[in-house]
Amino acid sequence: MRLKDYPEIIRAAWAGFDHTIGVKFVEDISAKVSTNHVFRVTLDNDDKVVAKLSYFGKYEHFKEDHRIIQALSNNLLYPFENVVAKSLVKNNQVYTYRYQEDFVDTWVVFYNPIRAAQRLPRRLGEEHIRKLGRETAKFHQACFRASHSLPKSSKNLRTDIQHLLDILDTDTGSYEHRGNISILKRQCDIFMKNIQRLNVSGFDKMPVFVDWNIGNFSVTEDLKLFSRWDYDWFRVSSRIMDFYFFSRVVSNVGDRTVFSYLIGPLMEDRFMMFLEEYHQIYPLTENEVLFMKEAYRFFILNYVIKYGKYFFHRAYCTKLQKEAYELYFPSIDGFDSDKILRKLKL
């Protein structure tokens, strides 16, 4: 399926939603870094909607994710009731469209364009960091309260890592990860044992969006969270899964054009400042702090090793996977959980 064919799929998807209004044109606004493609759709009456097209994973998971996101957007209370974009609904269900032909299997969902307010500066000052820490804690609290109204999610940390182990036992997995099988199995084993030891299944579960960065959410003048878009990497899990990416937002480097998974941002004093403010609003437990190391390990195993070839261009995926063995995995043991525990007086 060529990219230029996608607008035709978008048009067919829209016709399935509402054949009484035509599509004037379809504009590709994708970040072009993953298997999701985003389009701005202008209708004949000049109304606009946003379409997301995806072909990664399973259609059932695609539908499940958007049902959960929609339930979240409908159950978040003031002042976060308009933070998350709402999908278009038909017959009381989130409308999704599946296109299948030969070897092509791709899916579309529409949602209302979300208004953006102010962007954060590319590098945050101390005041920004402290306010963002407090605001994030309040948003996580709101997500946790709303989580009781959400459909169940079929994905969890354990099943994702078990899936990687299953892949490693196949001929394809053995070939793709040749020379590193024993390293990966050891890392998976450490993760499985530690999430059991820390009782991660007992942590607060909430919808977390994982890939927060300066470019995909907006704030008011007084740094209140205003809107968030881009549904990539969504899951229902521990709030700790969001923290590595918030550490990148507040990092001394600031907004970065070249993405990396280096563990350094988690240990910066600027992130300690963020956590101090967060902890005052929505206190963390000792086990949650200890889990930060395992959340980082999970990102490397699941998103760099297992899914990297789907999320990133081939050359960049090769670079990240090479760094995983040379930099990321070796750096995990150097993560200083005690520094955070002392800072938070846990």
Side-chain angles (χ1 to χ4, degrees), residues 25-78:
F25 53 85
V26 179
E27 177 188 2
D28 182 16
I29 56 172
S30 307
K32 297 182 176 63
V33 294
S34 77
T35 52
N36 283 334
H37 297 274
V38 182
F39 300 86
R40 183 183 295 113
V41 181
T42 302
L43 305 176
D44 283 343
N45 62 0
D46 288 329
D47 285 348
K48 291 180 172 58
V49 295
V50 173
K52 186 177 81 170
L53 180 149
S54 183
Y55 49 83
F56 169 69
K58 297 180 178 179
Y59 175 58
E60 291 72 24
H61 288 162
F62 181 83
K63 288 196 299 181
E64 177 185 280
D65 274 0
H66 287 88
R67 283 199 301 267
I68 295 172
I69 292 168
Q70 184 74 356
L72 174 65
S73 67
N74 287 333
N75 285 280
L76 281 172
L77 301 180
Y78 177 85

Short mmCIF file of all heavy atoms in Angstrom, two decimals, residues 25-78:
data_model
loop_
_atom_site.label_atom_id
_atom_site.label_comp_id
_atom_site.label_asym_id
_atom_site.label_seq_id
_atom_site.Cartn_x
_atom_site.Cartn_y
_atom_site.Cartn_z
N PHE A 25 -10.99 17.57 0.43
CA PHE A 25 -9.61 17.12 0.27
C PHE A 25 -9.07 16.56 1.58
O PHE A 25 -9.61 16.80 2.66
CB PHE A 25 -8.67 18.21 -0.27
CG PHE A 25 -8.69 19.50 0.50
CD1 PHE A 25 -7.89 19.67 1.63
CD2 PHE A 25 -9.48 20.56 0.08
CE1 PHE A 25 -7.90 20.85 2.33
CE2 PHE A 25 -9.49 21.75 0.79
CZ PHE A 25 -8.71 21.91 1.91
N VAL A 26 -7.98 15.78 1.44
CA VAL A 26 -7.35 15.08 2.56
C VAL A 26 -5.89 15.51 2.62
O VAL A 26 -5.15 15.35 1.64
CB VAL A 26 -7.44 13.54 2.39
CG1 VAL A 26 -6.75 12.84 3.55
CG2 VAL A 26 -8.89 13.10 2.27
N GLU A 27 -5.48 16.05 3.76
CA GLU A 27 -4.11 16.57 3.92
C GLU A 27 -3.35 15.72 4.92
O GLU A 27 -3.78 15.51 6.04
CB GLU A 27 -4.17 18.02 4.42
CG GLU A 27 -2.81 18.64 4.68
CD GLU A 27 -2.93 19.99 5.35
OE1 GLU A 27 -4.07 20.43 5.65
OE2 GLU A 27 -1.87 20.61 5.60
N ASP A 28 -2.20 15.22 4.49
CA ASP A 28 -1.36 14.40 5.38
C ASP A 28 -0.64 15.31 6.37
O ASP A 28 0.13 16.18 5.98
CB ASP A 28 -0.35 13.62 4.54
CG ASP A 28 0.54 12.72 5.38
OD1 ASP A 28 0.18 12.45 6.55
OD2 ASP A 28 1.58 12.27 4.86
N ILE A 29 -0.88 15.11 7.66
CA ILE A 29 -0.19 15.91 8.70
C ILE A 29 0.58 15.00 9.64
O ILE A 29 0.84 15.33 10.79
CB ILE A 29 -1.20 16.78 9.49
CG1 ILE A 29 -2.31 15.93 10.11
CG2 ILE A 29 -1.79 17.86 8.60
CD1 ILE A 29 -3.23 16.71 11.06
N SER A 30 0.98 13.83 9.14
CA SER A 30 1.67 12.84 9.97
C SER A 30 3.05 13.33 10.39
O SER A 30 3.72 14.07 9.65
CB SER A 30 1.84 11.53 9.19
OG SER A 30 0.61 11.07 8.69
N ALA A 31 3.46 12.87 11.57
CA ALA A 31 4.84 13.13 12.00
C ALA A 31 5.82 12.25 11.23
O ALA A 31 7.01 12.49 11.21
CB ALA A 31 4.97 12.86 13.50
N LYS A 32 5.29 11.18 10.61
CA LYS A 32 6.08 10.26 9.77
C LYS A 32 7.20 9.58 10.55
O LYS A 32 8.30 9.37 10.03
CB LYS A 32 6.64 10.99 8.55
CG LYS A 32 5.56 11.52 7.61
CD LYS A 32 6.15 12.18 6.38
CE LYS A 32 5.07 12.61 5.40
NZ LYS A 32 4.15 13.61 5.96
N VAL A 33 6.94 9.24 11.79
CA VAL A 33 7.93 8.51 12.57
C VAL A 33 7.41 7.16 13.04
O VAL A 33 8.13 6.41 13.68
CB VAL A 33 8.39 9.33 13.81
CG1 VAL A 33 9.13 10.57 13.37
CG2 VAL A 33 7.21 9.67 14.71
N SER A 34 6.17 6.82 12.74
CA SER A 34 5.64 5.54 13.19
C SER A 34 4.69 4.99 12.16
O SER A 34 4.53 5.53 11.07
CB SER A 34 4.92 5.71 14.54
OG SER A 34 3.65 6.28 14.37
N THR A 35 4.03 3.89 12.52
CA THR A 35 3.09 3.25 11.60
C THR A 35 1.73 3.92 11.62
O THR A 35 0.84 3.51 10.89
CB THR A 35 2.92 1.77 11.97
OG1 THR A 35 2.59 1.68 13.36
CG2 THR A 35 4.20 1.00 11.71
N ASN A 36 1.53 4.92 12.44
CA ASN A 36 0.29 5.70 12.41
C ASN A 36 0.44 6.87 11.44
O ASN A 36 1.47 7.54 11.41
CB ASN A 36 -0.05 6.24 13.80
CG ASN A 36 -0.63 5.18 14.71
OD1 ASN A 36 -1.22 4.22 14.23
ND2 ASN A 36 -0.46 5.35 16.00
N HIS A 37 -0.61 7.11 10.67
CA HIS A 37 -0.64 8.25 9.76
C HIS A 37 -1.84 9.11 10.14
O HIS A 37 -2.93 8.60 10.41
CB HIS A 37 -0.75 7.79 8.31
CG HIS A 37 0.43 6.98 7.85
ND1 HIS A 37 1.57 7.56 7.34
CD2 HIS A 37 0.66 5.65 7.86
CE1 HIS A 37 2.44 6.61 7.04
NE2 HIS A 37 1.91 5.44 7.35
N VAL A 38 -1.64 10.42 10.15
CA VAL A 38 -2.68 11.35 10.57
C VAL A 38 -3.00 12.29 9.41
O VAL A 38 -2.10 12.80 8.75
CB VAL A 38 -2.24 12.15 11.82
CG1 VAL A 38 -3.36 13.08 12.28
CG2 VAL A 38 -1.84 11.20 12.95
N PHE A 39 -4.30 12.52 9.20
CA PHE A 39 -4.74 13.35 8.09
C PHE A 39 -5.76 14.37 8.59
O PHE A 39 -6.59 14.06 9.44
CB PHE A 39 -5.39 12.49 7.00
CG PHE A 39 -4.47 11.45 6.42
CD1 PHE A 39 -4.34 10.21 7.02
CD2 PHE A 39 -3.75 11.72 5.27
CE1 PHE A 39 -3.49 9.25 6.49
CE2 PHE A 39 -2.89 10.77 4.74
CZ PHE A 39 -2.76 9.53 5.35
N ARG A 40 -5.68 15.58 8.04
CA ARG A 40 -6.72 16.57 8.25
C ARG A 40 -7.68 16.47 7.07
O ARG A 40 -7.27 16.62 5.91
CB ARG A 40 -6.14 17.98 8.36
CG ARG A 40 -7.21 19.04 8.65
CD ARG A 40 -6.62 20.43 8.67
NE ARG A 40 -5.68 20.61 9.77
CZ ARG A 40 -4.36 20.78 9.62
NH1 ARG A 40 -3.83 20.79 8.41
NH2 ARG A 40 -3.57 20.93 10.67
N VAL A 41 -8.95 16.22 7.37
CA VAL A 41 -9.95 15.99 6.33
C VAL A 41 -10.89 17.19 6.27
O VAL A 41 -11.52 17.54 7.28
CB VAL A 41 -10.76 14.70 6.64
CG1 VAL A 41 -11.79 14.45 5.54
CG2 VAL A 41 -9.83 13.50 6.81
N THR A 42 -10.96 17.82 5.12
CA THR A 42 -11.89 18.93 4.91
C THR A 42 -13.09 18.43 4.13
O THR A 42 -12.94 17.85 3.04
CB THR A 42 -11.21 20.08 4.15
OG1 THR A 42 -10.06 20.52 4.88
CG2 THR A 42 -12.17 21.25 3.98
N LEU A 43 -14.28 18.63 4.69
CA LEU A 43 -15.50 18.15 4.07
C LEU A 43 -16.07 19.18 3.10
O LEU A 43 -15.63 20.34 3.08
CB LEU A 43 -16.52 17.81 5.17
CG LEU A 43 -16.02 16.83 6.24
CD1 LEU A 43 -17.09 16.67 7.32
CD2 LEU A 43 -15.66 15.48 5.63
N ASP A 44 -17.04 18.77 2.34
CA ASP A 44 -17.64 19.67 1.35
C ASP A 44 -18.27 20.91 1.99
O ASP A 44 -18.36 21.97 1.36
CB ASP A 44 -18.70 18.93 0.53
CG ASP A 44 -18.07 18.02 -0.51
OD1 ASP A 44 -16.88 18.20 -0.82
OD2 ASP A 44 -18.77 17.12 -1.02
N ASN A 45 -18.70 20.78 3.25
CA ASN A 45 -19.30 21.93 3.94
C ASN A 45 -18.25 22.74 4.71
O ASN A 45 -18.59 23.59 5.53
CB ASN A 45 -20.41 21.47 4.88
CG ASN A 45 -19.90 20.55 5.98
OD1 ASN A 45 -18.71 20.25 6.05
ND2 ASN A 45 -20.80 20.09 6.84
N ASP A 46 -16.96 22.43 4.46
CA ASP A 46 -15.80 23.10 5.06
C ASP A 46 -15.59 22.74 6.53
O ASP A 46 -14.68 23.30 7.17
CB ASP A 46 -15.88 24.63 4.90
CG ASP A 46 -15.63 25.06 3.47
OD1 ASP A 46 -14.86 24.35 2.77
OD2 ASP A 46 -16.21 26.07 3.04
N ASP A 47 -16.38 21.84 7.10
CA ASP A 47 -16.03 21.29 8.42
C ASP A 47 -14.76 20.47 8.29
O ASP A 47 -14.44 19.95 7.21
CB ASP A 47 -17.16 20.40 8.95
CG ASP A 47 -18.35 21.21 9.44
OD1 ASP A 47 -18.21 22.43 9.58
OD2 ASP A 47 -19.42 20.60 9.69
N LYS A 48 -14.05 20.33 9.41
CA LYS A 48 -12.81 19.56 9.41
C LYS A 48 -12.85 18.48 10.49
O LYS A 48 -13.36 18.70 11.59
CB LYS A 48 -11.60 20.47 9.62
CG LYS A 48 -11.32 21.40 8.45
CD LYS A 48 -10.12 22.29 8.73
CE LYS A 48 -9.71 23.08 7.49
NZ LYS A 48 -10.80 23.91 6.97
N VAL A 49 -12.32 17.32 10.16
CA VAL A 49 -12.12 16.25 11.13
C VAL A 49 -10.70 15.73 10.95
O VAL A 49 -10.04 16.02 9.93
CB VAL A 49 -13.14 15.10 10.95
CG1 VAL A 49 -14.55 15.57 11.23
CG2 VAL A 49 -13.02 14.47 9.57
N VAL A 50 -10.24 15.01 11.94
CA VAL A 50 -8.91 14.41 11.86
C VAL A 50 -9.07 12.90 11.74
O VAL A 50 -9.90 12.29 12.44
CB VAL A 50 -8.07 14.76 13.11
CG1 VAL A 50 -6.75 13.99 13.10
CG2 VAL A 50 -7.81 16.26 13.15
N ALA A 51 -8.33 12.31 10.83
CA ALA A 51 -8.37 10.86 10.65
C ALA A 51 -7.04 10.27 11.04
O ALA A 51 -5.98 10.81 10.68
CB ALA A 51 -8.69 10.52 9.19
N LYS A 52 -7.08 9.18 11.77
CA LYS A 52 -5.85 8.42 12.05
C LYS A 52 -5.95 7.08 11.36
O LYS A 52 -6.95 6.37 11.51
CB LYS A 52 -5.62 8.22 13.54
CG LYS A 52 -4.26 7.56 13.82
CD LYS A 52 -3.97 7.41 15.30
CE LYS A 52 -4.67 6.20 15.85
NZ LYS A 52 -4.22 5.89 17.23
N LEU A 53 -4.93 6.74 10.60
CA LEU A 53 -4.88 5.47 9.90
C LEU A 53 -3.72 4.66 10.46
O LEU A 53 -2.62 5.17 10.64
CB LEU A 53 -4.70 5.72 8.40
CG LEU A 53 -4.62 4.51 7.48
CD1 LEU A 53 -5.22 4.85 6.10
CD2 LEU A 53 -3.17 4.02 7.28
N SER A 54 -3.96 3.40 10.75
CA SER A 54 -2.92 2.56 11.33
C SER A 54 -2.99 1.16 10.73
O SER A 54 -4.06 0.72 10.29
CB SER A 54 -3.09 2.47 12.86
OG SER A 54 -2.05 1.71 13.44
N TYR A 55 -1.86 0.46 10.71
CA TYR A 55 -1.85 -0.92 10.22
C TYR A 55 -0.94 -1.78 11.07
O TYR A 55 -0.56 -2.88 10.69
CB TYR A 55 -1.40 -0.98 8.75
CG TYR A 55 -0.12 -0.22 8.46
CD1 TYR A 55 1.13 -0.77 8.71
CD2 TYR A 55 -0.19 1.07 7.94
CE1 TYR A 55 2.29 -0.06 8.43
CE2 TYR A 55 0.97 1.79 7.67
CZ TYR A 55 2.21 1.22 7.92
OH TYR A 55 3.35 1.92 7.66
N PHE A 56 -0.59 -1.30 12.27
CA PHE A 56 0.31 -2.04 13.14
C PHE A 56 -0.48 -2.79 14.20
O PHE A 56 -1.37 -2.23 14.82
CB PHE A 56 1.31 -1.09 13.81
CG PHE A 56 2.08 -1.78 14.91
CD1 PHE A 56 3.01 -2.76 14.61
CD2 PHE A 56 1.84 -1.46 16.23
CE1 PHE A 56 3.70 -3.40 15.62
CE2 PHE A 56 2.54 -2.09 17.24
CZ PHE A 56 3.46 -3.07 16.93
N GLY A 57 -0.13 -4.05 14.43
CA GLY A 57 -0.77 -4.83 15.48
C GLY A 57 -2.02 -5.51 15.00
O GLY A 57 -2.07 -6.08 13.91
N LYS A 58 -3.07 -5.43 15.80
CA LYS A 58 -4.33 -6.09 15.49
C LYS A 58 -5.46 -5.06 15.47
O LYS A 58 -5.50 -4.15 16.29
CB LYS A 58 -4.65 -7.17 16.53
CG LYS A 58 -3.65 -8.32 16.58
CD LYS A 58 -4.06 -9.33 17.63
CE LYS A 58 -3.10 -10.52 17.67
NZ LYS A 58 -3.50 -11.50 18.71
N TYR A 59 -6.39 -5.28 14.56
CA TYR A 59 -7.55 -4.40 14.48
C TYR A 59 -8.33 -4.40 15.79
O TYR A 59 -8.82 -3.36 16.23
CB TYR A 59 -8.44 -4.86 13.32
CG TYR A 59 -9.75 -4.10 13.21
CD1 TYR A 59 -9.77 -2.72 13.05
CD2 TYR A 59 -10.97 -4.78 13.24
CE1 TYR A 59 -10.97 -2.02 12.93
CE2 TYR A 59 -12.17 -4.10 13.11
CZ TYR A 59 -12.16 -2.72 12.97
OH TYR A 59 -13.35 -2.04 12.86
N GLU A 60 -8.41 -5.55 16.44
CA GLU A 60 -9.14 -5.65 17.70
C GLU A 60 -8.52 -4.76 18.76
O GLU A 60 -9.22 -4.14 19.57
CB GLU A 60 -9.19 -7.10 18.17
CG GLU A 60 -10.04 -8.03 17.33
CD GLU A 60 -9.43 -8.37 15.97
OE1 GLU A 60 -8.18 -8.26 15.84
OE2 GLU A 60 -10.19 -8.70 15.04
N HIS A 61 -7.18 -4.69 18.80
CA HIS A 61 -6.50 -3.81 19.76
C HIS A 61 -6.72 -2.34 19.41
O HIS A 61 -6.84 -1.49 20.29
CB HIS A 61 -5.01 -4.13 19.80
CG HIS A 61 -4.70 -5.43 20.47
ND1 HIS A 61 -3.50 -6.09 20.30
CD2 HIS A 61 -5.45 -6.20 21.30
CE1 HIS A 61 -3.52 -7.21 21.01
NE2 HIS A 61 -4.69 -7.30 21.62
N PHE A 62 -6.73 -2.05 18.11
CA PHE A 62 -7.00 -0.68 17.65
C PHE A 62 -8.37 -0.22 18.14
O PHE A 62 -8.53 0.87 18.69
CB PHE A 62 -6.92 -0.66 16.13
CG PHE A 62 -7.16 0.68 15.49
CD1 PHE A 62 -6.13 1.61 15.37
CD2 PHE A 62 -8.40 1.00 14.95
CE1 PHE A 62 -6.33 2.84 14.75
CE2 PHE A 62 -8.61 2.23 14.34
CZ PHE A 62 -7.57 3.15 14.24
N LYS A 63 -9.37 -1.06 17.94
CA LYS A 63 -10.72 -0.73 18.41
C LYS A 63 -10.76 -0.61 19.93
O LYS A 63 -11.38 0.31 20.47
CB LYS A 63 -11.71 -1.81 17.96
CG LYS A 63 -12.02 -1.82 16.49
CD LYS A 63 -13.27 -2.64 16.19
CE LYS A 63 -13.11 -4.09 16.60
NZ LYS A 63 -14.32 -4.88 16.28
N GLU A 64 -10.11 -1.52 20.60
CA GLU A 64 -10.10 -1.50 22.07
C GLU A 64 -9.49 -0.22 22.60
O GLU A 64 -10.05 0.43 23.50
CB GLU A 64 -9.33 -2.71 22.58
CG GLU A 64 -9.18 -2.77 24.09
CD GLU A 64 -8.31 -3.93 24.53
OE1 GLU A 64 -8.83 -5.06 24.58
OE2 GLU A 64 -7.11 -3.72 24.81
N ASP A 65 -8.34 0.16 22.05
CA ASP A 65 -7.67 1.38 22.51
C ASP A 65 -8.58 2.59 22.36
O ASP A 65 -8.68 3.43 23.26
CB ASP A 65 -6.38 1.63 21.72
CG ASP A 65 -5.19 0.88 22.29
OD1 ASP A 65 -5.37 0.18 23.31
OD2 ASP A 65 -4.10 1.00 21.73
N HIS A 66 -9.26 2.70 21.24
CA HIS A 66 -10.07 3.89 21.01
C HIS A 66 -11.37 3.88 21.79
O HIS A 66 -11.90 4.95 22.13
CB HIS A 66 -10.28 4.10 19.50
CG HIS A 66 -9.04 4.58 18.82
ND1 HIS A 66 -8.09 3.72 18.34
CD2 HIS A 66 -8.55 5.83 18.63
CE1 HIS A 66 -7.09 4.42 17.84
NE2 HIS A 66 -7.33 5.69 18.01
N ARG A 67 -11.87 2.71 22.11
CA ARG A 67 -13.00 2.64 23.03
C ARG A 67 -12.60 3.15 24.41
O ARG A 67 -13.35 3.89 25.06
CB ARG A 67 -13.55 1.21 23.13
CG ARG A 67 -14.39 0.77 21.95
CD ARG A 67 -15.24 -0.44 22.31
NE ARG A 67 -14.44 -1.58 22.74
CZ ARG A 67 -14.02 -2.54 21.94
NH1 ARG A 67 -14.32 -2.51 20.64
NH2 ARG A 67 -13.32 -3.54 22.40
N ILE A 68 -11.41 2.76 24.85
CA ILE A 68 -10.94 3.19 26.17
C ILE A 68 -10.67 4.69 26.19
O ILE A 68 -11.06 5.40 27.12
CB ILE A 68 -9.67 2.41 26.58
CG1 ILE A 68 -10.01 0.92 26.75
CG2 ILE A 68 -9.07 2.97 27.86
CD1 ILE A 68 -8.79 0.04 26.97
N ILE A 69 -10.02 5.18 25.13
CA ILE A 69 -9.73 6.61 25.05
C ILE A 69 -11.02 7.42 25.04
O ILE A 69 -11.13 8.46 25.69
CB ILE A 69 -8.88 6.92 23.79
CG1 ILE A 69 -7.49 6.32 23.93
CG2 ILE A 69 -8.79 8.43 23.56
CD1 ILE A 69 -6.70 6.33 22.65
N GLN A 70 -12.01 6.94 24.30
CA GLN A 70 -13.29 7.64 24.24
C GLN A 70 -13.97 7.65 25.61
O GLN A 70 -14.51 8.68 26.04
CB GLN A 70 -14.20 6.97 23.21
CG GLN A 70 -15.53 7.68 22.99
CD GLN A 70 -15.38 8.96 22.18
OE1 GLN A 70 -14.27 9.36 21.85
NE2 GLN A 70 -16.49 9.59 21.87
N ALA A 71 -13.92 6.53 26.30
CA ALA A 71 -14.52 6.47 27.63
C ALA A 71 -13.80 7.43 28.57
O ALA A 71 -14.42 8.10 29.41
CB ALA A 71 -14.47 5.05 28.17
N LEU A 72 -12.48 7.51 28.43
CA LEU A 72 -11.72 8.45 29.26
C LEU A 72 -12.13 9.88 28.97
O LEU A 72 -12.40 10.66 29.89
CB LEU A 72 -10.22 8.28 29.00
CG LEU A 72 -9.31 9.30 29.70
CD1 LEU A 72 -9.38 9.15 31.21
CD2 LEU A 72 -7.87 9.18 29.21
N SER A 73 -12.21 10.23 27.69
CA SER A 73 -12.55 11.62 27.33
C SER A 73 -13.94 11.99 27.83
O SER A 73 -14.20 13.16 28.14
CB SER A 73 -12.45 11.82 25.81
OG SER A 73 -13.44 11.08 25.13
N ASN A 74 -14.83 11.01 27.94
CA ASN A 74 -16.19 11.28 28.40
C ASN A 74 -16.32 11.29 29.92
O ASN A 74 -17.34 11.74 30.45
CB ASN A 74 -17.16 10.23 27.83
CG ASN A 74 -17.42 10.42 26.36
OD1 ASN A 74 -17.33 11.53 25.85
ND2 ASN A 74 -17.73 9.35 25.66
N ASN A 75 -15.30 10.78 30.62
CA ASN A 75 -15.40 10.65 32.07
C ASN A 75 -14.40 11.50 32.85
O ASN A 75 -14.40 11.48 34.08
CB ASN A 75 -15.25 9.18 32.48
CG ASN A 75 -16.50 8.38 32.19
OD1 ASN A 75 -17.47 8.41 32.92
ND2 ASN A 75 -16.46 7.64 31.07
N LEU A 76 -13.53 12.21 32.14
CA LEU A 76 -12.64 13.14 32.84
C LEU A 76 -13.46 14.34 33.31
O LEU A 76 -14.23 14.92 32.55
CB LEU A 76 -11.52 13.62 31.91
CG LEU A 76 -10.34 12.65 31.72
CD1 LEU A 76 -9.40 13.17 30.64
CD2 LEU A 76 -9.58 12.46 33.03
N LEU A 77 -13.28 14.71 34.56
CA LEU A 77 -14.04 15.81 35.13
C LEU A 77 -13.26 17.11 35.07
O LEU A 77 -12.07 17.14 34.79
CB LEU A 77 -14.39 15.47 36.59
CG LEU A 77 -15.21 14.19 36.80
CD1 LEU A 77 -15.49 13.96 38.27
CD2 LEU A 77 -16.51 14.22 36.00
N TYR A 78 -13.96 18.20 35.34
CA TYR A 78 -13.35 19.53 35.38
C TYR A 78 -12.13 19.52 36.29
O TYR A 78 -12.17 18.93 37.35
CB TYR A 78 -14.37 20.54 35.90
CG TYR A 78 -13.83 21.96 36.04
CD1 TYR A 78 -13.82 22.82 34.95
CD2 TYR A 78 -13.32 22.40 37.26
CE1 TYR A 78 -13.30 24.10 35.06
CE2 TYR A 78 -12.80 23.68 37.38
CZ TYR A 78 -12.80 24.52 36.29
OH TYR A 78 -12.28 25.79 36.40
#
